[in-house]
Amino acid sequence: MKRKITLKHIARELDVSISTVSKALKNSEEIGQDTKEKIQAFAKLYNYRPNNIAISLKNKRTKNIGVIIPDIVHHFFTTVFRGIEQYANNKGYNVIVCVSDESFDKEVINMEMLANGSIDGFIMALAGETQLKNDFNHLKEVTEQGIPLVLFDRVTEDVQCDKVIINDEEAAYQAVKKLIASGRRKIALVTTEGYLNVSAKRAEGYFRALKEHHLPIDKDMILELPYQKDNEKKSEEFFRNRSIDAVLCVNEIFAVKCMGIVQRSGKRVPDDIAFIGFTDGILSRLSTPTLSSVDQHGELMGETAARMLIEKIERDHDQEEEEIFQTRIISATLVERESTLGSLK
Amino acid sequence: MKRKITLKHIARELDVSISTVSKALKNSEEIGQDTKEKIQAFAKLYNYRPNNIAISLKNKRTKNIGVIIPDIVHHFFTTVFRGIEQYANNKGYNVIVCVSDESFDKEVINMEMLANGSIDGFIMALAGETQLKNDFNHLKEVTEQGIPLVLFDRVTEDVQCDKVIINDEEAAYQAVKKLIASGRRKIALVTTEGYLNVSAKRAEGYFRALKEHHLPIDKDMILELPYQKDNEKKSEEFFRNRSIDAVLCVNEIFAVKCMGIVQRSGKRVPDDIAFIGFTDGILSRLSTPTLSSVDQHGELMGETAARMLIEKIERDHDQEEEEIFQTRIISATLVERESTLGSLK
DNA sequence: TTGTATGCGTTATCAG
DNA sequence: CTGATAACGCATACAA
């Protein structure tokens, strides 16, 4: 077992000082040609690599960024993560991921753990519980310490930092308009229980489109589903007892589940009912029929967040100018597939 | 902006030495009660937290583990990652993820980056390219340096280390037996192009079941699909020109795609053709019909890998006993759903 | 009971 | 051209 070699080993072996070795390996002009060559050759032979931890301690920069997301199995977050990871890696940063599991406590613990020197900045989407509690002190503490923070998707106005979101309201509005244009009039909304934040904005877009076309807004046409658990019965009951010709769902899972229920009850998609979901993932592409879906461009979102964060990290050290926080809005786009094909009647 | 406070700050402020502060905060018996209280109160007031980096440098342990996977958007890897993250976090470890993107070069670069002190051990699944190249020097270097390594799912016999895999051959065998027991005789296999390793083992199980029941093994009944790209035409052609009454697919994406193709061509699942896939993910649960699928227990796999790794990390430092490497085999289980309901004829 | 010195691996400054 | 020294933040063996 050949342990990692350090500057000290090289110095001792070659009978020079540590600082000479350090400089020689950086190809410093100060060092004589022959000494440099000798040292570089030795270093290469023993495959010397500087120790990241020591460099971090010295530079007070870790080249790590911390990502805290509510759930890694969720396709949207996975996609965002991919965007982050790719961009960050290109820039020489590594990514430490923590999953909050929608729990406030875990989010706090994870943040504190990472904030003590492990990372140069955070990218995160708030846990559901955090949004409910409306307690953002852990975020504020971090920013007050001067650690850059970028929020994406699940954001809050209570914290001053960079943000990346999509135009949820507008995207939902456009989706519903599309449904109306194809002759649908009885349009239901399937959303999350106690729908917050993102879901709420999508609901607003839904309402706006209905209003604009003088269609009635009926709370009875809104189905609220628990976030992670199954609730087939509630959904079945909903569709059984209502006359519905189109549905907007706040995610693709709800959409695909509801399409299944509706089809099993003998109705046809899109002939009898059209469906549009959010999150254009693998489910949308592979369901039968394929699902029209709002693409949230997760990868772009992640890349954008990473770019904003790294800019801030690398600027931070230069000058202490007035902090400017930006909110980037990414335009969602509707991907039309079979579930909205053709007009009604 | 209140910067992070250090032992030195506290020492200066309270006019004591750094080591006194250090000991006081560890509640050492050496320090006088009153000094301890004074120091602890001050530390709490200013929310002192030890710097992770400094501790890492001192202890030569980072409490980070590195995970390198080919793809984070793939459901199976995501699930494994979740198992790793949960277990590691419980044990006080953070997880740094790098995505190799199936590329040999990226895998090497990522490993080298992390191996220079950033992590205490690796968990990884080999990139497709790495398996093709059969070049594992980067893995060997790491293990030679004494960095613990656990491989999962995509493993190789060329590297001496801990491994976690599932009984792919047996699972495929059982799946095909089940198909045969329900009266199916013309059973196709859909696998990855140049099917390696995992896919190869599943193919072996498929062959074994056929042989055991004296069914013909026909290369023409095997469809090879590119890993990530679409190839609808090839699949359509395959199913159009063959008489098939059951299909085993090496992943759920292939299965769902093929079910779609078959259904669009007018055949019925499972009445005319039964389907079984691997990777029991969201697609299997939400496709129409729902897909019978081999559950690889990704989360358990991740947890197991993390447990093995952390055990090794924490033992490593004790004694220099003879290294023992284990291979844990996780039993896959077939989850039966609509796509295999009932017998043929 | 408290403080000093040393080291973890590296870099930067300054002296020789 | 080369080397000694200090510093990053912390822990600890050893003095006082």
Side-chain angles (χ1 to χ4, degrees), chain A residues 301-315:
Chain A
M301 209 157 167
E303 188 192 313
T304 306
R307 177 181 302 117
M308 291 171 86
L309 183 71
I310 291 177
E311 263 173 23
K312 202 133 264 176
I313 289 172
E314 308 203 326
R315 184 146 44 79

Side-chain angles (χ1 to χ4, degrees), chain A residues 76-128:
Chain A
F76 170 65
F77 290 123
T78 309
T79 318
V80 175
F81 175 76
R82 184 166 220 248
I84 296 174
E85 205 268 346
Q86 280 184 353
Y87 186 86
N89 242 297
N90 267 343
K91 291 286 183 179
Y93 285 77
N94 280 123
V95 181
I96 301 184
V97 201
C98 290
V99 179
S100 67
D101 231 346
E102 303 288 5
S103 142
F104 174 81
D105 290 338
K106 279 201 196 167
E107 189 174 281
V108 173
I109 291 172
N110 283 327
M111 275 200 93
E112 287 194 345
M113 203 160 171
L114 296 181
N116 300 316
S118 297
I119 50 90
D120 296 336
F122 282 107
I123 296 178
M124 50 190 294
L126 297 171

